[in-house]
Amino acid sequence: MSLAQKRTQTLSREELKNVLAVARGEQAADLIIKNVKILDLINGSTFESAIAIVGKTIAGIGLEYLDNDVPKAKRYLDAEGAVAVPGFIDGHLHIESSMMNPFEFERMTLPIGTTTAICDPHEITNVMGDKGYSWFLRSSELMHQNLFVQTSSCVPALPGFESNGGEFKLEEMLKYKQHPNVLGLAEMMNFPGVINANDAVLDKIEAYSDYNLDGHSPLVRGKALNAYIAAGIQNCHETVTKEEGFEKLQKGMALIIREGSVAKNIKTLAPLVSEFNSTQCLLCTDDRNPYEILEEGHINYLIKKMINEMKMEPHIAYRLSSYSAAKHFGLKRLGLIAPGKQADIVLLNDVRSVDIKDVLIAGKRVADLKLDDSINEKLTKSLPPLENTIKRKPLKESDFAYNLKAGKYNVIEIVKDEIITNHLVVNYDGNKFDQDDILFMANIERYGSELKPALGLVKGTGLKRGAIAASVAHDSHNLMVIGASLEDMVTAVNALIASGGGLCVALDKKVTGILELPLAGLLSLKTGGELFHDIKKLKTAYKECGVILDEPFIQMAFLALPVIPKLKLTDRGLFDVTTFSYISLEAK
């Protein structure tokens, strides 16, 4: 398959002639799936059928392909009564948040039905610029999974307000616009720049106006939302409230319903979905770690949750997971079990429990692809940018110069299962705060400028002692640390500096848990299973410190992102997202 054929799922003339001959019943199919039912995502019914496949394409569906006057297929797959649905499509994600390289991500998610992923590699692009982005494109060319790589639009998320490791200017972005695996412009997080007609932002939108324009507009409503959509932005995966989601749908925006490891929006947004508007709604994971992928699943988990917890009709849930996404992104040969579509098929023993019997990608059984055997070979061939990206000298306790005195202080309050935060003002009497669970926090620039640590206070982790630190801090990925003890904060941060990045827990001046992420301080070279066990050890370590959050490292990572309301901490200081300005730690 050529790259152009992979992106648009087009067929060569020779391929098309073979498909048409099989469709007419005049030529033997490469594969016929028999004893199968098809869940009709258009009409909502289930019907007995056969599926005739030639090459990567479904030539036809119907029991007539089992008639005696039709040439026998080269191979038959007996589905034994299973129900066929289209392969699942993740409409927006950052593979970096899985901490797995793209080939390990494929190995973990393709067998559970995710045949297509539309990613934005802006995490590694913020760390390494073009070097990181181009690696993702090279990786996509080597994968069986359909990996589409949107062009990262906001590197950094908010220029001038944070330090990052690599630039990705418009002239660099445009080098990749014609790449066959690029569908459009990735999430435009700088929504104030769009709304207020910033020329540098509008230059990017204009340059990609003939492509998909992905959005990112949490809590944006009214006139501001009108302006954002009027600029050409087509979707949003950051919707927080039901009312906000309704307004976005009403104004023509596609609603991408997210269920990640921290941001969990299905419960709020699924009730908005109806038979009428379901083709305007799709699914994404955004940020989901390997622990939850192994424990719960990927898009298959989202479908199961919508059907069984939200009582959504199965054909609508499966429509959101495939047809709606394919339609939105213009993937004309994906998203249905129908003639001319790519044979990305999930066979289900049970529709409601999403019990997967088999998965096919481009007409091949995933079980036959031997994904385990090819990972190292593909990873080497992709030329991963392996280098130490932590350029920071070890810290001392005196670098965290809080010097707190009696008065009022601005505090970031974590909202469980959300990436938005609250802005609190708390009193300090010189000895203690008037609220519990107030901890030290710092964001430390890691790209060689040796800026003083930016200091903050945070509420909501439950941590009683020790510290947690990470080189994963969206989206510029400086070093973040939260602690009850400055000594433990120093211990944790210095362990990350020494190891080249990762996640760390420290207690009593000792490292009690660490997960090293040598690739850009974001990604591991380990298998998903190995990462699962490493994360279990980290969970034990941070629970010993009193942490009550299910995913404290992911929650902490978003405390640095200055485009998500309301109060965040960049490496340059405490940032009020509602006013888009820095504020001091001490409240006025």
Side-chain angles (χ1 to χ4, degrees):
M1 185 191 307
S2 72
L3 285 176
Q5 288 168 338
K6 182 171 181 181
R7 176 192 169 188
T8 62
Q9 314 303 316
T10 56
L11 303 174
S12 69
R13 180 61 61 85
E14 182 181 355
E15 286 176 318
L16 180 57
K17 285 186 174 183
N18 285 330
V19 168
L20 296 178
V22 173
R24 294 193 304 266
E26 297 173 3
Q27 179 177 310
D30 290 334
L31 173 68
I32 287 182
I33 304 175
K34 63 180 183 176
N35 293 331
V36 69
K37 300 172 186 175
I38 297 176
L39 181 61
D40 183 345
L41 301 188
I42 304 300
N43 297 307
S45 60
T46 302
F47 60 95
E48 301 276 353
S49 188
I51 304 171
I53 298 168
V54 55
K56 64 176 184 282
T57 305
I58 298 171
I61 60 174
L63 293 172
E64 56 267 32
Y65 290 101
L66 300 176
D67 292 346
N68 291 330
D69 61 346
V70 174
K72 285 193 176 294
K74 297 173 185 176
R75 291 184 300 116
Y76 287 87
L77 176 61
D78 188 346
E80 300 176 321
V83 178
V85 295
F88 309 144
I89 300 174
D90 191 329
H92 171 80
L93 81 159
H94 308 283
I95 288 179
E96 301 99 313
S97 293
S98 75
M99 296 184 285
M100 296 182 282
N101 67 70
F103 307 106
E104 184 62 19
F105 174 83
E106 174 186 48
R107 190 181 75 85
M108 292 284 290
T109 60
L110 185 53
I112 54 176
T114 303
T115 55
T116 300
I118 299 164
C119 80
D120 173 11
H122 71 198
E123 317 295 359
I124 196 168
T125 307
N126 265 287
V127 175
M128 309 186 82
D130 177 88
K131 196 182 296 184
Y133 182 83
S134 60
W135 173 58
F136 257 79
L137 277 177
R138 290 194 302 274
S139 298
S140 73
E141 296 168 9
L142 299 171
M143 296 169 67
H144 294 285
Q145 194 172 47
N146 306 310
L147 182 65
F148 296 104
V149 185
Q150 302 293 66
T151 305
S152 301
S153 66
C154 298
V155 179
L158 201 60
F161 291 91
E162 51 186 335
S163 306
N164 69 335
E167 292 185 322
F168 200 52
K169 295 181 178 178
L170 181 56
E171 52 267 32
E172 291 178 292
M173 295 163 59
L174 289 174
K175 289 190 304 183
Y176 302 107
K177 185 180 177 185
Q178 299 304 319
H179 190 284
N181 289 343
V182 171
L183 298 177
L185 193 66
E187 54 180 320
M188 178 47 73
M189 294 185 293
N190 188 359
F191 59 84
V194 177
I195 293 164
N196 295 303
N198 176 278
D199 282 324
V201 172
L202 294 185
D203 285 346
K204 294 177 183 179
I205 290 175
E206 187 175 289
Y208 282 83
S209 59
D210 54 337
Y211 279 50
N212 271 82
L213 300 176
D214 291 344
H216 179 287
S217 52
L219 301 177
V220 176
R221 305 281 306 272
K223 290 181 288 186
L225 181 61
N226 288 336
Y228 192 64
I229 296 172
I233 305 299
Q234 293 167 271
N235 60 52
C236 183
H237 63 277
E238 290 286 350
T239 304
V240 177
T241 70
K242 186 176 179 180
E243 295 74 22
E244 177 191 354
F246 182 84
E247 183 181 354
K248 285 174 177 175
L249 284 169
Q250 190 178 57
K251 291 179 175 178
M253 185 175 259
L255 184 67
I256 305 183
I257 300 174
R258 170 180 58 190
E259 190 81 356
S261 288
V262 166
K264 300 178 186 292
N265 307 123
I266 279 182
K267 185 176 180 181
T268 300
L269 301 180
L272 286 170
V273 180
S274 66
E275 184 87 51
F276 193 87
N277 68 16
S278 59
T279 56
Q280 193 72 358
C281 303
L282 50 150
L283 303 177
C284 84
T285 60
D286 199 3
D287 299 282
R288 194 160 177 82
N289 72 33
Y291 185 87
E292 290 197 343
I293 291 173
L294 265 168
E295 281 277 284
E296 299 174 338
H298 198 242
I299 296 297
N300 59 322
Y301 170 73
L302 277 62
I303 299 167
K304 182 162 53 178
K305 189 167 185 175
M306 289 191 299
I307 293 172
N308 295 293
E309 294 184 28
M310 307 309 300
K311 307 306 178 186
M312 187 179 288
E313 288 296 321
H315 70 277
I316 297 179
Y318 284 99
R319 185 183 293 167
L320 265 61
S321 74
S322 54
Y323 177 66
S324 297
K327 194 170 183 290
H328 179 74
F329 287 103
L331 298 168
K332 295 181 180 180
R333 290 193 180 270
L334 297 182
L336 282 177
I337 309 293
K341 301 298 184 183
Q342 182 164 299
D344 295 351
I345 301 169
V346 180
L347 296 176
L348 301 167
N349 290 315
D350 183 75
V351 169
R352 302 193 73 87
S353 64
V354 200
D355 180 10
I356 296 174
K357 176 183 179 65
D358 214 340
V359 178
L360 285 79
I361 179 82
K364 298 177 181 178
R365 291 182 67 240
V366 170
D368 296 334
L369 295 178
K370 298 181 180 178
L371 296 175
D372 293 5
D373 299 338
S374 61
I375 288 178
N376 290 334
E377 179 185 344
K378 287 183 176 180
L379 185 59
T380 301
K381 192 174 181 180
S382 72
L383 302 175
L386 286 166
E387 60 185 64
N388 189 352
T389 58
I390 309 289
K391 302 181 175 77
R392 182 82 197 196
K393 294 177 182 176
L395 297 180
K396 305 182 295 295
E397 190 176 334
S398 59
D399 291 321
F400 297 110
Y402 279 88
N403 300 321
L404 297 180
K405 57 186 179 181
K408 295 182 177 181
Y409 288 87
N410 292 303
V411 174
I412 298 172
E413 183 183 34
I414 292 170
V415 179
K416 193 175 186 299
D417 292 339
E418 294 286 358
I419 57 177
I420 59 171
T421 62
N422 293 324
H423 179 176
L424 303 181
V425 176
V426 301
N427 290 304
Y428 181 67
D429 64 8
N431 182 42
K432 64 179 181 178
F433 293 99
D434 64 354
Q435 295 190 32
D436 295 332
D437 195 23
I438 307 293
L439 297 166
F440 299 117
M441 179 172 68
N443 187 326
I444 304 140
E445 182 274 326
R446 63 131 148 162
Y447 297 109
S449 296
E450 295 293 327
L451 298 180
K452 290 182 179 179
L455 305 179
L457 297 167
V458 64
K459 176 182 173 70
T461 67
L463 186 144
K464 303 293 184 187
R465 55 199 187 118
I468 60 172
S471 57
V472 179
H474 300 305
D475 283 327
S476 290
H477 299 291
N478 289 294
L479 301 173
M480 286 287 282
V481 60
I482 293 173
S485 153
L486 298 185
E487 290 178 329
D488 288 328
M489 290 169 69
V490 169
T491 299
V493 170
N494 285 346
L496 294 182
I497 293 171
S499 67
L503 314 177
C504 185
V505 181
L507 181 62
D508 298 330
K509 295 188 286 186
K510 295 179 181 178
V511 172
T512 56
I514 189 165
L515 193 166
E516 295 184 359
L517 301 173
L519 213 169
L522 302 173
L523 296 165
S524 172
L525 300 178
K526 292 183 176 181
T527 67
E530 290 170 328
L531 282 170
F532 177 87
H533 291 295
D534 286 347
I535 292 171
K536 281 189 74 172
K537 292 176 183 176
L538 275 181
K539 283 179 176 288
T540 299
Y542 65 65
K543 284 177 180 177
E544 286 178 356
C545 296
V547 172
I548 58 173
L549 297 172
D550 295 328
E551 299 294 342
F553 289 104
I554 300 177
Q555 201 101 49
M556 180 171 68
F558 282 102
L559 299 182
L561 186 55
V563 290
I564 300 287
K566 295 181 179 176
L567 188 62
K568 297 298 168 83
L569 182 67
T570 80
D571 67 297
R572 300 186 188 184
L574 203 56
F575 190 74
D576 186 334
V577 184
T578 58
T579 62
F580 263 66
S581 61
Y582 288 113
I583 60 174
S584 63
L585 184 59
E586 193 168 0
K588 295 180 180 178

